[in-house]
Amino acid sequence: MKKFATILAIAAGLAAAPALAQEGWYAGFGLGVGNLNKSGQDLTGLADAQVDDTDTTYTIRGGYRFHQNFAVELGYYDLGKYGFSGNIGSEYISGSAKAKSYGLSLVAIAPMGAFDLYGRVGWEESEIKANANSALFTANESDKQSGATYGLGGRWNMSKNVGFFVEWMKNDKIEVDSYLAGIDFRF
């Protein structure tokens, strides 16, 4: 009897899976950590520069799931603020670089009952704003770049309208690996 109840529960869960993988609009947000994949010298040009290579990241995103296996998504990613310091001769320099991007992605989805595995690939516009300070000067610089964005993730569909996701995301031009967790809402 216990085996029969287990089989019945599994069958009911699998039967409900198509209802969780519904097509339509969704929006979500996530919070996580970013890891900068640049050395202090690469970021600043200073031979002895030190860089804080970890910071908080977040995303706000929305999309349309037009098939149970595909969606198109527009997202904004704040990729963190990374401090740096170093010397030019005897002159101490410190500052920070802040990275953000927005992009459009095609998301391929593999529904697995109440869970989805997904991968994304798309196009992004990124910006890094940097400032550097010393006793003698202050400098500000901004750089905008376009390139590929991609990522992998998983989502637990807690109900028909709410899902919890975890995701790794990266942009080609801004070398930050972003690890996020968040909530998606389906409409």
Side-chain angles (χ1 to χ4, degrees):
M1 184 67 176
K2 196 172 191 179
K3 279 186 180 181
F4 179 73
T6 302
I7 291 170
L8 188 60
I10 291 171
L14 291 174
L20 296 175
Q22 290 184 355
E23 299 169 8
W25 294 98
Y26 64 93
F29 61 90
L31 183 67
V33 64
N35 292 322
L36 180 64
N37 294 315
K38 287 190 174 194
S39 70
Q41 183 173 0
D42 290 341
L43 185 64
T44 65
L46 302 173
D48 68 343
Q50 300 296 314
V51 65
D52 299 328
D53 60 359
T54 303
D55 196 26
T56 301
T57 63
Y58 68 88
T59 181
I60 300 169
R61 62 198 198 171
Y64 185 74
R65 189 168 181 168
F66 58 89
H67 184 274
Q68 78 170 2
N69 298 107
F70 295 100
V72 62
E73 185 174 289
L74 180 64
Y76 170 81
Y77 291 86
D78 183 308
L79 299 172
K81 186 175 183 179
Y82 303 93
F84 60 84
S85 62
N87 293 301
I88 297 179
S90 63
E91 189 67 30
Y92 178 76
I93 298 172
S94 66
S96 64
K98 181 166 180 48
K100 63 182 179 180
S101 76
Y102 59 91
L104 184 64
S105 297
L106 177 64
V107 183
I109 305 160
M112 304 175 82
F115 297 92
D116 294 336
L117 297 178
Y118 62 88
R120 71 175 58 255
V121 63
W123 189 256
E124 54 82 20
E125 294 288 325
S126 298
E127 181 178 31
I128 292 183
K129 290 183 177 179
N131 72 323
N133 303 296
S134 77
L136 301 175
F137 70 89
T138 297
N140 295 298
E141 185 68 34
S142 179
D143 184 26
K144 292 184 180 182
Q145 303 171 347
S146 299
T149 183
Y150 43 92
L152 296 171
R155 179 176 16 262
W156 171 40
N157 297 302
M158 297 180 285
S159 72
K160 180 181 171 185
N161 295 326
V162 179
F164 172 78
F165 70 86
V166 293
E167 179 178 305
W168 164 78
M169 190 280 301
K170 185 171 183 101
N171 290 344
D172 266 349
K173 300 294 182 175
I174 303 229
E175 297 180 34
V176 174
D177 285 304
S178 190
Y179 302 92
L180 300 155
I183 302 274
D184 284 333
F185 300 96
R186 288 180 289 285
F187 309 105

